[in-house]
Amino acid sequence: MNKLLKVRPTKNTLLALRKQLVSLQHGHDLLERKRELLTRLVHQRLKKYHELRVTVSEALQHTYYWLSIAHMRMGSTQLRQAVLGLKPVLSVHILPRSSIGVEYPTVSVESAPMMPIGLMWTDSSFDEARSRMTETAVLLAQLGEAETALWRLLTEQRKTQKRVNALKYNVIPRYQATIRYIESALSEEERNTLFQLKVMREQLEAAEG
């Protein structure tokens, strides 16, 4: 049974609770629509996120494949010497974005043309490994954005679901039960008043007769 609100059972209280109940029901409807939108958006992004994870996993396999070939042909010492002085080929920009009141970062990655290494002791697998790493880094940035956005949307969806449930199963029923109790108490008080007036009238009529 829902606990009643601790208020005095008066007409003014009854009117105030009715107004508050209307506002609560309106808020519940808005939160319910927000929850539905968030749920739909989460399902859409979840599908794309899984597809992107598969793409990144395949890209990482190819990247490590070519890196292992370059390491086998050149050795770790030559690899370390080859990367010295190389300029970054990626520039990352992070900007805030909002969707249904949920903020998350958007990541954009720009890659500059990668100049091949023309040293005599380098192998072609080294340039292929660099190219694969660049492509994979771009995909990883996209995956990071997708995962962060999905996590924040999921968190907000769960919070909204809890608020909807709290209003639906706790707050609104307490208001409704309190309103029914006050209505019943006021009706009982009115009946008692009418009964007392009737008794007084009968007593007056008997005294006059």
Side-chain angles (χ1 to χ4, degrees), residues 7-61:
V7 293
R8 296 181 61 187
T10 64
K11 289 185 178 180
N12 288 336
T13 301
L14 180 61
L15 293 174
L17 289 180
R18 284 173 175 171
K19 290 181 180 179
Q20 292 171 15
L21 180 60
V22 171
S23 298
L24 288 171
Q25 290 171 334
H26 180 64
H28 170 269
D29 293 340
L30 290 177
L31 283 174
E32 182 64 30
R33 285 198 290 269
K34 179 181 179 181
R35 184 196 64 80
E36 291 175 356
L37 290 173
L38 284 169
T39 302
R40 191 180 309 156
L41 191 58
V42 164
H43 283 301
Q44 291 174 354
R45 286 184 169 270
L46 189 60
K47 182 180 179 181
K48 294 180 181 178
Y49 171 69
H50 285 310
E51 292 174 352
L52 188 56
R53 282 198 64 171
V54 172
T55 303
V56 169
S57 178
E58 293 175 352
L60 282 171
Q61 290 179 5

Side-chain angles (χ1 to χ4, degrees), residues 145-163:
E145 174 190 328
E147 186 169 340
T148 302
L150 182 60
W151 177 254
R152 293 188 181 181
L153 287 169
L154 272 171
T155 302
E156 186 65 22
Q157 192 268 346
R158 289 168 181 165
K159 288 181 180 178
T160 305
Q161 181 67 66
K162 288 182 179 179
R163 291 169 185 162

Side-chain angles (χ1 to χ4, degrees), residues 75-190:
S76 57
T77 301
Q78 289 185 349
L79 279 176
R80 283 195 296 269
Q81 292 176 350
V83 298
L84 292 175
L86 290 179
K87 294 182 179 180
V89 296
L90 295 176
S91 57
V92 181
H93 305 280
I94 302 176
L95 296 174
R97 185 179 177 183
S98 178
S99 180
I100 318 180
V102 181
E103 291 189 358
Y104 53 88
T106 57
V107 183
S108 61
V109 182
E110 297 178 0
S111 58
M114 188 179 63
M115 301 300 295
I117 300 297
L119 300 177
M120 293 179 61
W121 40 267
T122 59
D123 188 82
S124 60
S125 60
F126 178 66
D127 285 333
E128 184 65 28
R130 289 173 61 210
S131 176
R132 297 281 183 172
M133 284 183 177
T134 301
E135 295 172 359
T136 304
V138 174
L139 290 173
L140 285 171
Q142 295 174 359
L143 181 63
E145 174 190 328
E147 186 169 340
T148 302
L150 182 60
W151 177 254
R152 293 188 181 181
L153 287 169
L154 272 171
T155 302
E156 186 65 22
Q157 192 268 346
R158 289 168 181 165
K159 288 181 180 178
T160 305
Q161 181 67 66
K162 288 182 179 179
R163 291 169 185 162
V164 168
N165 290 341
L167 285 171
K168 183 177 181 179
Y169 298 110
N170 184 14
V171 179
I172 290 178
R174 287 185 68 187
Y175 271 77
Q176 291 172 334
T178 304
I179 288 173
R180 288 194 297 269
Y181 166 74
I182 294 176
E183 288 174 342
S184 177
L186 291 177
S187 297
E188 183 66 24
E189 183 180 347
E190 185 178 356

